[in-house]
Amino acid sequence: MALATLRKGAARTFGLILVALLVVSFAIWGIADIFTGYGQQTLIEVGDTEISPQDYQRAQQDVLRTMSQDAGRALSLQEARAAGLDQRVLERLVGGAAVDTHASHLGLSISDEALLEQIMKDPSFQDGAGNFSPLAFQSALRNIGMSEGAYLQTLREQTLRRQLLVTVGEVASSPKAVIDALNRFNEERRILKYVLVPKSAAEAPGDPTEQDLKAYYDNHKQTFTQPEYRKVGLIAVTPDTVRDELNITEADIKATYESKKDTLGQAETRHVQQIALPSTEEAEKVAAKIEAGTDFVEAAKELGLSESDIDLGTVAKKDLADSVVAEEAFKLEKDEVSKPVTGKLGGVVLLRVTEITEGKIPTFEEAKANIEKDLVKERASGAIFDMHDKVEDELASGATLEETAGKLKLDYVVVDQVDRTGAKPDGTQLEAPAQKELLNGVFATDAGIENDPIDARDEGVVWYEVLGITPETLQPFDDVRSEVEEGWRGEATRNQVKTYTDKLISELNSGSKTLDGVASDLGQEVLPTSALKRDDITVNVLPPAVQQAFSLPKGGYGSAASGVDEGRIVFQVEDIVEPPEVDPRALKQLGARIGLLYSEDIIAEYFSELEQTYGVKVNRQALARLTGTGEAP
């Protein structure tokens, strides 16, 4: 056994060594077991390193697993491919093979002793007493489908890759000038003052000629292009589909209503004021003063409290943390002041309720439909699972999706045309369980392909097939003439307003006009902004205006779209707020982040240089067959 040989070479005193699933642990950098496919067709060559179709499939499973974890659910192969699976697998394989080739040319290797030490120190692969478990070792190898020799070879590769990349990407320190520049970029602010310029301030553009319209149409063809549509056949097994199998009785619904009715309706809410006092004696003095005619708020102000200090807001009974206080507050009449109340934590308060909104508990008949719907959803999972198996059995026997639906008495829905967003040509939207995932799958496959079903979680399961594809189509000019003219007028108006504001900027820069004068001429006000960072946004001051402001000196003028009709703003940089000094802790964190960015750039350059040095050869036809596409990714 390869593992036994390795143990002897390391002169160990321990028994068997627990071997972990480090293929997954180090998956970020590479591929699994690239040297086990001897004599098989080579898919990719990077220098001296060859990658087989089996290597590609193993790496694909690793990447698919990672993408599913990121998404929080199991992605189908079609969904993952739509999200870039094939490209990510290819990048991983080529990058890992390039590092392997470089390590080989440098004569680098990992000793048996270092390899054993690494395996032994991983706590994930020890039993409760911290010792090796032969059963865990064998289970690990079975889970990844590898022999001991193949696993150890893979572990050597991953360890060497990791050490080489850490060495290449190591950054000694981040230059202070870079840290200061980044701090300035992130924390510097601009305070602006601006004037709104409505579209009516500029000269109207007039009527377009036929040539104007056709030029606009030619320059904006994407606007007048119908999206790609797909004809789709669907079977959706949802809680409603299996409702009749659940045997939900009137008694079930009534029992659920009785157990939940207090939470079904709208709880009573009250606007509560509270004066906190140091003792019962002090509370009684204040209560006596209020009873004698002093207003509740005035009594609080005499104690140095503001109105906001005593305002608990509009709350439901459950919102008050102290149950004793809550109980007393919800006994009071409107505007009634309580006797001193000692809370469960010992504090003494006076309470007043200024507003009461009655709660409403729905009747059984009012709540019945929603309760039944919730019960169906809760109990449907088993029936949906059974129906899932029946559908899969029918499809596996060769039945079509439509035939399966007919045999199992399910609805087979055909959607004649739907685009990537779920929109139909008539402007309505597709309505289906797990709609986003379903559309991703529909547009990642092709007509006539059998696809994995979509797990819609609480909504059930959806099977789908593409029945036809209508490519995106440019609509003829005559069919969209009115839309073309509307678009032309909007663009022409924006250009006229920009020409007008450009003239204003020239006059402001020359000193012949002031911002106050511009505002007066337009019948507008000069409006201020708060101190804005580069990525801030505020009313009328959109990102293009903020970006422009950061290119101007204090006192400089600029103009940008306001987002109101076709109007713009003319603004001045009133002040530049310098960034504060970075405290030592934040400075350290900032330096670490910059160092990480440097490291990523260095490693990216390293990969690029390796691929250029050693060359990358890809068997495009084999790769296309492997990915199930007509061409390589």
Side-chain angles (χ1 to χ4, degrees):
M1 301 282 282
L3 186 63
T5 303
L6 185 60
R7 286 199 301 273
K8 291 178 181 177
R12 76 308 97 207
T13 57
F14 15 83
L16 296 172
I17 302 299
L18 176 61
V19 179
L21 299 176
L22 293 180
V23 174
V24 176
S25 302
F26 296 116
I28 188 172
W29 290 122
I31 59 175
D33 195 23
I34 68 168
F35 294 124
T36 60
Y38 299 113
Q40 298 171 348
Q41 181 186 21
T42 298
L43 187 68
I44 303 168
E45 288 184 24
V46 182
D48 303 331
T49 304
E50 297 181 350
I51 300 169
S52 73
Q54 288 71 28
D55 302 326
Y56 187 96
Q57 289 170 335
R58 280 191 289 268
Q60 179 177 266
Q61 288 303 311
D62 282 344
V63 176
L64 179 59
R65 189 183 303 112
T66 300
M67 293 175 72
S68 296
Q69 289 170 350
D70 292 341
R73 65 182 184 83
L75 296 178
S76 70
L77 197 55
Q78 288 88 353
E79 290 176 302
R81 280 182 170 152
L85 169 71
D86 294 332
Q87 189 61 34
R88 288 173 65 171
V89 173
L90 193 60
E91 289 172 355
R92 171 181 293 191
L93 290 171
V94 171
V99 175
D100 292 342
T101 303
H102 189 212
S104 175
H105 285 198
L106 292 173
L108 302 178
S109 64
I110 301 293
S111 70
D112 290 351
E113 290 85 352
L115 195 62
L116 283 169
E117 184 178 0
Q118 179 181 327
I119 294 170
M120 289 187 58
K121 286 184 177 179
D122 193 330
S124 303
F125 314 119
Q126 297 171 351
D127 60 19
N131 300 317
F132 168 72
S133 167
L135 292 177
F137 168 61
Q138 294 301 330
S139 175
L141 292 182
R142 281 195 302 272
N143 285 340
I144 58 177
M146 297 177 74
S147 66
E148 289 181 5
Y151 172 77
L152 294 172
Q153 177 62 40
T154 298
L155 181 57
R156 287 184 191 277
E157 291 166 7
Q158 305 305 331
T159 304
L160 188 56
R161 286 180 191 175
R162 186 165 62 96
Q163 291 182 359
L164 193 54
L165 289 170
V166 167
T167 302
V168 169
E170 186 174 1
V171 177
S173 62
S174 301
K176 188 175 186 307
V178 175
I179 295 176
D180 291 341
L182 186 59
N183 181 51
R184 174 174 290 277
F185 185 88
N186 288 336
E187 301 299 331
E188 186 179 88
R189 291 169 170 81
R190 294 284 199 275
I191 298 174
L192 312 181
K193 54 183 181 180
Y194 68 93
V195 175
L196 279 168
V197 181
K199 67 179 182 181
S200 59
E203 184 179 346
D207 293 326
T209 66
E210 191 76 3
Q211 186 177 359
D212 289 335
L213 293 179
K214 287 187 174 177
Y216 183 85
Y217 173 79
D218 289 338
N219 291 329
H220 298 81
K221 286 185 176 179
Q222 192 58 41
T223 303
F224 306 109
T225 297
Q226 284 187 337
E228 177 184 328
Y229 286 110
R230 297 202 166 197
K231 183 176 182 180
V232 185
L234 303 172
I235 294 177
V237 177
T238 68
D240 281 340
T241 307
V242 298
R243 175 191 293 265
D244 294 342
E245 301 176 31
L246 303 179
N247 298 320
I248 295 174
T249 65
E250 186 89 353
D252 292 332
I253 301 172
K254 283 184 177 178
T256 303
Y257 172 77
E258 290 300 327
S259 66
K260 294 184 176 180
K261 66 180 180 181
D262 291 339
T263 65
L264 295 176
Q266 181 178 349
E268 177 185 332
T269 59
R270 296 185 168 212
H271 189 251
V272 182
Q273 294 174 320
Q274 171 185 283
I275 300 175
L277 294 146
S279 65
T280 302
E281 291 75 13
E282 290 296 321
E284 288 173 345
K285 290 179 184 177
V286 176
K289 190 178 290 188
I290 293 171
E291 191 173 350
T294 302
D295 180 70
F296 191 86
V297 175
E298 290 302 317
K301 288 181 177 179
E302 290 177 8
L303 295 171
L305 301 171
S306 68
E307 194 164 350
S308 62
D309 291 334
I310 66 172
D311 188 7
L312 298 184
T314 300
V315 294
K317 191 173 183 179
K318 65 181 177 57
D319 296 330
L320 293 171
D322 192 314
S323 58
V324 175
V325 171
E327 195 65 37
E328 293 301 321
F330 275 76
K331 288 179 182 177
L332 296 173
E333 299 293 332
K334 183 176 180 294
D335 296 323
E336 181 185 358
V337 178
S338 71
K339 300 295 183 184
V341 177
T342 301
K344 64 181 182 180
L345 298 179
V348 181
V349 298
L350 293 176
L351 302 167
R352 182 172 74 164
V353 174
T354 62
E355 186 179 339
I356 299 174
T357 302
E358 295 293 335
K360 183 180 185 303
I361 296 176
T363 65
F364 172 72
E365 290 302 324
E366 290 171 334
K368 180 178 177 180
N370 285 333
I371 292 174
E372 185 176 8
K373 185 177 179 180
D374 290 342
L375 284 174
V376 168
K377 186 175 288 189
E378 288 173 11
R379 299 182 183 181
S381 59
I384 289 173
F385 184 79
D386 290 342
M387 184 59 74
H388 167 276
D389 288 350
K390 291 176 183 177
V391 172
E392 287 294 300
D393 287 344
E394 289 298 322
L395 294 174
S397 70
T400 66
L401 208 56
E402 186 174 9
E403 290 168 346
T404 298
K407 184 170 183 179
L408 298 176
K409 295 182 172 52
L410 299 171
D411 289 334
Y412 179 73
V413 178
V414 176
V415 182
D416 280 332
Q417 288 186 309
V418 64
D419 70 12
R420 291 177 185 273
T421 67
K424 302 176 185 178
D426 62 3
T428 60
Q429 280 286 126
L430 172 71
E431 293 185 6
Q435 183 163 310
K436 181 179 178 181
E437 293 83 357
L438 174 62
L439 289 169
N440 286 340
V442 165
F443 279 85
T445 187
D446 209 338
I449 300 295
E450 184 176 329
N451 306 292
D452 294 332
I454 302 291
D455 178 4
R457 296 172 291 282
D458 289 345
E459 297 179 86
V461 186
V462 185
W463 288 263
Y464 64 95
E465 60 184 349
V466 174
L467 302 174
I469 299 173
T470 304
E472 63 178 22
T473 307
L474 177 63
Q475 301 174 85
F477 173 79
D478 290 337
D479 291 355
V480 292
R481 183 185 180 88
S482 60
E483 291 94 328
V484 172
E485 183 170 347
E486 183 181 354
W488 180 90
R489 287 189 180 280
E491 184 178 88
T493 300
R494 287 191 294 274
N495 290 338
Q496 291 288 87
V497 178
K498 184 177 187 306
T499 299
Y500 177 78
T501 56
D502 287 347
K503 182 173 179 288
L504 289 179
I505 296 298
S506 296
E507 292 171 337
L508 289 166
N509 283 328
S510 68
S512 61
K513 280 193 175 182
T514 65
L515 202 60
D516 287 332
V518 169
S520 178
D521 292 344
L522 295 170
Q524 301 285 336
E525 295 180 78
V526 177
L527 302 171
T529 71
S530 58
L532 302 171
K533 289 185 179 183
R534 292 175 190 270
D535 57 354
D536 283 345
I537 184 173
T538 187
V539 177
N540 302 321
V541 184
L542 304 180
V546 177
Q547 292 164 15
Q548 191 181 153
F550 274 83
S551 69
L552 295 171
K554 182 177 179 179
Y557 294 97
S559 175
S562 65
V564 180
D565 276 340
E566 310 296 343
R568 295 177 69 83
I569 63 168
V570 170
F571 65 86
Q572 183 180 28
V573 179
E574 187 171 30
D575 198 9
I576 297 175
V577 181
E578 295 295 324
E581 288 292 325
V582 185
D583 67 71
R585 183 178 175 183
L587 187 65
K588 184 176 180 180
Q589 293 174 341
L590 191 58
R593 287 201 299 272
I594 294 173
L596 180 59
L597 293 174
Y598 273 136
S599 178
E600 289 175 350
D601 284 346
I602 291 169
I603 289 174
E605 288 295 326
Y606 171 65
F607 275 126
S608 178
E609 183 62 29
L610 289 182
E611 290 173 18
Q612 290 182 25
T613 300
Y614 298 122
V616 178
K617 298 178 183 178
V618 179
N619 185 333
R620 296 286 174 182
Q621 291 183 343
L623 189 58
R625 287 196 300 271
L626 197 62
T627 57
T629 62
E631 58 184 48

